[in-house]
Amino acid sequence: MKLQALAALFAAVGTANAHGLNPRHAHIHKRQDATTSTSSTEAPAATQTTSSSSTDTSTSGPAAPASTSTGTVAAVPTATGSYATLSATVSDVPALSALTFGMPSGPAYTATTTVASGYIPTISGLPDAPAIPGFVFKTGEWPAQDRAPPTDSAEVKEWLKELDGIDIPDLEPTTDGSCASDLEFAQDAAARGWWTCGGYTRDTDIVACPDKLTWGVSFDDGPGPQTPKLLEYLDQKDISATFFVVGSRVIERPAVLVQEYLSGHEISVHTWSHTHLTQQTNEQIVAELGWTRKAIKEVLGVTPTTMRPPYGDIDDRVRAIALAMGLIPVIWTRTPAGTFDTNDWAVAAGNVNGEQCVEKFNNILGNATTLDTGFIVLAHDLYEITVDLAIGYNLEMAQTHDPAFSLMAIGQCVNIPTTDLYRETNTNTSFPYTTKATDVDGDGTVDTETAADTKGSSSSTDGAMALQSSSFFCLVAVAAAFSLML
């Protein structure tokens, strides 16, 4: 696949992002201790024991409050200074000093939006949205949650056909998605287009909002037990966000996903088991993306045209497979001055406390005013603690920042029409390039043509993206701006 690399894009970024390397994050992403009741319409909530210890030995403090998990709760670093006394102005959010690993769980939240099967959504910018199917979970129809899906299923065999005729780079999978475990690959990161080791991207990636002081709001890993609490806040503040959802969570909390979608937020693919994609074989990558894509469609009736690789772990092989499956990669902004990662996951892992997290991210935001473009921020909605950090502090600071930030969903900030964010309503023949042979359900029956298909799809046989849409011209301009900045 011909992916044109931008000559100097991120070339000055020498070291790997700690988020991409942190082993603790790899093990804490799966589950929040709090659980919600389930019914036959959704998969049973997964359970997990949690163990964590701090990787920061420069400071020490008293042991965190006992967690509801059955694992060991270790001491979490403490912080002092102006952030130590911050309190949230949002109800049901603890003081910042109390936001630490092992904090007592608050009340569980359930979806507030309930619709019947066949309900026709009324979503701004999406006038012809398909009806909500009315998802009912059936044991045996889905892979095990939070585990790599098998690659020998009939569904995966169908999805692999989408790679036919596409030139997938012959890159050997990494050991575990980290730079330290693959020094040879890390040294060749620029040629591999490996984001984890150096922040390398391609012009098909969405990496920033084009307009200065624009904050692309996103949340990963849900839907979680506290996501409805987040949705209530976003609705009150009139903020739209992009939710990168994990397939295992979609079938577990379908009603929450429906609420996200009907509330006007954007839905995107974030794999089935939240794995490092560069570590997987081609077949495994297809399975991770395919099952999540299928789960979203069965719950919402629409198939996303975007995806985010967990940990930002993507290279040209992963990128080509995602594009072949009609999924455009979206990554949070990364510059020499800092990565726009809230590091909320590090609080959930016990690596830092809430005060340190907010202070670090606020320092990064200080650099945002020096950018010629806007930026995309990474946050998470799977954990209660990350939701509290978002609605009680990070998003509140964003709205009172001087100069002010404009907060919006990523598709909105890069000027992609809402219709083009889903395959069933996509009208753009080049975003993403379409194929009439797509079988999202994996049942052996080709899906109904999209609006874009009726216009005629790209004639390219090597899968290269045609830069015909205004959205993609905009993305190229953003990438060029970043290369000049570096």
Side-chain angles (χ1 to χ4, degrees), residues 384-474:
E384 178 178 8
I385 202 167
T386 59
V387 169
D388 284 345
L389 283 167
I391 69 176
Y393 301 97
N394 288 334
L395 291 178
E396 284 291 290
M397 288 181 176
Q399 295 169 84
T400 58
H401 191 274
D402 184 17
F405 293 121
S406 297
L407 279 66
M408 63 187 71
I410 297 170
Q412 181 182 353
C413 89
V414 296
N415 302 312
I416 298 174
T418 304
T419 53
D420 295 354
L421 295 173
Y422 305 104
R423 187 180 190 282
E424 290 72 16
T425 57
N426 178 34
T427 61
N428 194 321
T429 60
S430 62
F431 180 71
Y433 59 83
T434 57
T435 170
K436 295 181 181 180
T438 301
D439 176 12
V440 175
D441 298 321
D443 58 4
T445 302
V446 175
D447 294 342
T448 303
E449 291 184 358
T450 69
D453 291 331
T454 62
K455 292 183 178 182
S457 61
S458 172
S459 61
S460 173
T461 59
D462 65 2
M465 183 70 67
L467 299 181
Q468 297 174 352
S469 72
S470 60
S471 298
F472 265 97
F473 278 126
C474 181

